[in-house]
Amino acid sequence: MSEQDYMRRAIALAGLGAGWAAPNPMVGAVIVKDGRVIGEGYHKRYGGLHAEREAIASLTESAEGATIYVTLEPCCHYGHQPPCTEAILANGIRRVVIGSRDPNPLVAGKGAAILREHGVEVTEDFLRAECDSLNPDFFRFITTKLPYVVVKYAMTLDGKIASRTGASKWITGETAREHVHRMRGRYAAILAGIGTVLADDPMLNCRIPDSHQPLRVVVDSNLRIPVENQLVRSAKEFPLLIAAANVTEEKRQVLEAAGAEVVCVPGTDGRVDLGALMKLLGDRSVSSVLAEGGGEIHEALLRAGVVNHVMAYVAPMLMGGRDAKSPIEGLGAENPQTAVRLCNRRVTELGEDILLEYDVKEVTE
């Protein structure tokens, strides 16, 4: 195996912590000695052992003189766990190959520096782009304390998310729908607007067995959600937060008795202040949000400037209809110059469907 193979094994291991590690990053580690893998691990769950210590705990022989491949710079501070740099040094590992640099101010180059000061050979930025792709949510959250927000939708080739009658099941095939559920398990929260909730009565949970279950967030400015809605009826099993701008105490009490949490985050227009909602979620260590609402909430999120990434599942289907639903509604941009710009395209084939992914381009004055 090559060095690239070892790091890609570490990347694959890191992915096993999807959803569970948050708000910590997903990290994988592989320890190699004399061309043999003698230990490997990943950050399995927030508060648990970090990847390096998991790999060390799995050692089949002494790591003296070995190389460790780790997808993120080893930590050098005390948190829920002691510093991984200490474990690396204590076990006599002579070389550390690092993928991503850690932007956490408590680390940010200090981990690599400590290792070098103790005579360890350190290689940085190894397969960095692949390692960085593991944790865009962590990178945003640790530097801004705000969640990484993804807008996701399934649409026909002519840009419709539902027919003129509102029917939307199923636009995409089984492969794409299964991929969506895997994505749900990766994110800390799933968000929808009240329009989608009233139209579809969704569960917004992850249906992949043994997966992480995200916090479900409903943006419901006037607290219209029915008590008999699936989201409310399942609130004691799957967490549900309802963000409102106008709250009656009677309705709040009924919803909270059912297990939901109601928070009031009013904006100046009588609707939920989405920027304030993202700050509230960030304060609760919700590091990522997958928005699966309809066109109105998607447009509102974009207009609020809180969206970082877009995932569009595109089906080989033409729906037609001037009144059919679109993924981004609202007033929209006045002209192409004021439209939201996207960058860094990624394309994935999912059966007969394709997934298009883009980052939202930051506006620079």
Side-chain angles (χ1 to χ4, degrees):
M1 292 178 67
S2 67
E3 290 204 303
Q4 288 82 0
D5 292 329
Y6 296 135
M7 184 61 86
R8 290 197 173 107
R9 172 60 182 165
I11 291 169
L13 287 167
L16 298 176
W20 300 107
N24 279 354
M26 292 187 287
V27 184
V30 172
I31 302 174
V32 178
K33 186 175 182 179
D34 299 328
R36 294 173 289 109
V37 174
I38 62 171
E40 61 180 30
Y42 66 98
H43 187 30
K44 294 179 179 178
R45 188 180 292 266
Y46 178 70
L49 290 178
H50 291 182
E52 298 92 326
R53 288 182 177 271
E54 282 281 0
I56 287 168
S58 77
L59 284 169
T60 57
E61 61 183 88
S62 168
E64 189 77 33
T67 296
I68 185 169
Y69 297 82
V70 60
T71 58
L72 183 71
E73 179 183 3
C75 67
C76 55
H77 65 286
Y78 283 86
H80 288 286
Q81 296 291 332
C84 289
T85 50
E86 291 184 359
I88 289 169
L89 295 171
N91 282 271
I93 293 172
R94 69 168 180 81
R95 181 172 177 240
V96 178
V97 180
I98 297 168
S100 296
R101 299 188 181 222
D102 192 339
N104 184 344
L106 296 174
V107 185
K110 300 182 186 72
I114 287 171
L115 293 170
R116 288 190 176 103
E117 288 167 6
H118 287 81
V120 175
E121 180 186 345
V122 178
T123 300
E124 295 182 272
D125 301 331
F126 190 78
L127 297 187
R128 181 171 177 176
E130 292 179 46
C131 292
D132 282 356
S133 68
L134 285 167
N135 293 300
D137 47 352
F138 169 73
F139 295 150
R140 174 166 173 79
F141 178 72
I142 202 66
T143 55
T144 67
K145 300 304 179 188
L146 294 171
Y148 180 80
V149 179
V150 176
V151 163
K152 166 262 163 188
Y153 49 85
M155 70 177 188
T156 62
L157 191 58
D158 57 339
K160 307 299 183 181
I161 62 172
S163 71
R164 59 182 174 79
T165 66
S168 61
K169 294 182 180 179
W170 295 106
I171 286 176
T172 51
E174 289 185 11
T175 302
R177 297 200 299 273
E178 181 182 350
H179 189 271
V180 168
H181 280 283
R182 290 202 300 272
M183 290 299 99
R184 284 183 177 181
R186 186 198 187 289
Y187 287 86
I190 307 296
L191 180 146
I194 187 60
T196 294
V197 170
L198 293 176
D200 299 340
D201 192 17
M203 276 288 287
L204 300 180
N205 65 329
C206 176
R207 295 171 198 164
I208 304 295
D210 302 320
S211 291
H212 164 262
Q213 290 295 338
L215 169 68
R216 301 173 303 169
V217 179
V218 175
V219 178
D220 183 7
S221 293
N222 296 307
L223 214 55
R224 293 188 290 152
I225 189 168
V227 177
E228 62 273 15
N229 184 275
Q230 281 198 105
L231 289 165
V232 178
R233 287 191 284 111
S234 61
K236 291 182 179 178
E237 181 181 4
F238 305 113
L240 172 64
L241 184 146
I242 303 169
N246 308 292
V247 176
T248 62
E249 197 56 36
E250 181 181 5
K251 184 68 175 285
R252 181 202 290 268
Q253 289 176 4
V254 171
L255 291 169
E256 291 186 343
E261 180 184 1
V262 178
V263 296
C264 192
V265 280
T268 56
D269 59 356
R271 299 182 178 184
V272 169
D273 183 327
L274 293 170
L277 175 59
M278 293 307 146
K279 184 178 186 308
L280 181 150
L281 292 173
D283 289 344
R284 297 184 180 201
S285 295
V286 174
S287 56
S288 59
V289 174
L290 181 63
E292 291 195 31
E296 294 292 338
I297 190 66
H298 291 166
E299 191 272 342
L301 289 164
L302 287 163
R303 182 162 27 89
V306 300
V307 179
N308 306 106
H309 191 72
V310 176
M311 299 176 68
Y313 294 82
V314 184
M317 180 189 302
L318 300 173
M319 185 82 73
R322 67 174 61 87
D323 296 324
K325 294 289 186 180
S326 298
I328 312 295
E329 295 186 342
L331 289 176
E334 292 184 359
N335 53 63
Q337 287 69 41
T338 59
V340 174
R341 295 289 179 173
L342 307 175
C343 60
N344 302 328
R345 181 188 68 246
R346 294 193 288 281
V347 182
T348 306
E349 293 186 12
L350 297 168
E352 291 188 348
D353 307 314
I354 60 171
L355 169 60
L356 299 176
E357 294 185 73
Y358 293 87
D359 294 329
V360 175
K361 200 168 188 178
E362 292 187 15
V363 178
T364 56
E365 297 298 335

